[in-house]
Amino acid sequence: MKNRPLAVSLGDPAGIGPEIVFKAWSALRHSGPSFVVVGDLRQVAAGSGGTAGLVRQVSAAEDANRVFGQAVPVIDIPLLEPVVAGNPSPRAAKAVIAWIETAVGLALSGAVGGVVTAPIAKESLYGAGFPFPGHTEFLGELTLAHRYDGARGPIMMLAAPGLRVSLVTVHKPLAEVPAALSVEKIVNAGLVTAQALRRDFGIDRPRLAVAGLNPHAGENGTIGREEVQIVGPAVRALRDLGVEASGPSPADSLFHEAARAKYDAVLCLYHDQALIPVKMLDFWGGVNITLGLPIVRTSPDHGTAFDIAGRGLARPDSMIAAIRMAKEIADRRL
């Protein structure tokens, strides 16, 4: 059903999540796509700047389309105690986790077309015993028991106009990245990415560029052996599996305009190798997409911004882009 709303989990209630959710609704209320917020009703209202009547509790996701033009529809799962904007607390973690779980449950049941997650503060969640590195890994666990045809994630992709990048390792200390790489991990990330380019982005013959780890992609093993021993064999394996993959290529020459015309996505080996070029191209509007799951999930490509929370300064560009992209992907999957 193309008219299903999306579910937006509120993220850390002390961050800019409530504000960007409300601003995204303000921008989309007449055009859509519609969404229902899963979070604390009072925090969503606080994000509106105290605008009366523009936040409304609903009992089910199916009510979102009816309400969306007049107010932000919210499935209210209250915090146990009030939260002050800009002051994160592990005491909010249980509610934050419950919001994510509920949004994912709505997507798995088919009640919503996909999930958009506002930013969370990992440190606050870790303080409450949260065992996952971040949203991506948690979503993988929540959806693990559900059927998904094809190569399985979760794989993180960042997208901006003119560039898509997928990550083999995500929140891994740089010193640990070489040991974390393997042929199998690179091949799986490549298969998931190629599959998503076809299924979620409508690209019939996706072209995948694979970045090297070392300067100059190792220069045939003279500046590191990872390209010779791991990355190169993974690229050849991807080709054998029918993926149009190239590389390993020096990362410093992969992201200029002429290079970007030659591929549909880059497979990057570590966090900053992928995120720096995306944020250079479109700092405000990049989108985080989780590939290889039985649900659609997107997120703004930024954090909680506690330093400006509650001050009305947050820009909703990335949240709006994430909502629109989730809807586009959900419609393609129908």
Side-chain angles (χ1 to χ4, degrees), residues 159-178:
L163 179 63
R164 303 180 192 92
V165 294
S166 291
L167 285 77
V168 177
T169 68
V170 185
H171 298 116
K172 186 72 74 175
L174 191 56
E176 297 177 12
V177 168

Side-chain angles (χ1 to χ4, degrees), residues 117 135-137 139-140 143 148 153-158 192 196 200 287-299 329 333:
T117 58
H135 256 134
T136 300
E137 296 83 2
L139 292 167
T143 59
Y148 181 70
I155 295 296
M156 180 186 289
M157 171 182 277
L158 285 303
V192 171
D200 297 337
V287 177
N288 181 347
I289 309 142
T290 305
L291 310 180
L293 296 183
I295 65 169
V296 176
R297 181 265 177 154
T298 66
S299 178
I329 294 172
R333 287 197 183 185

Side-chain angles (χ1 to χ4, degrees), residues 249-264:
S249 300
D252 64 356
S253 59
L254 264 178
F255 299 106
H256 62 88
E257 185 175 7
R260 298 200 307 271
K262 298 177 181 179
Y263 55 74
D264 299 298

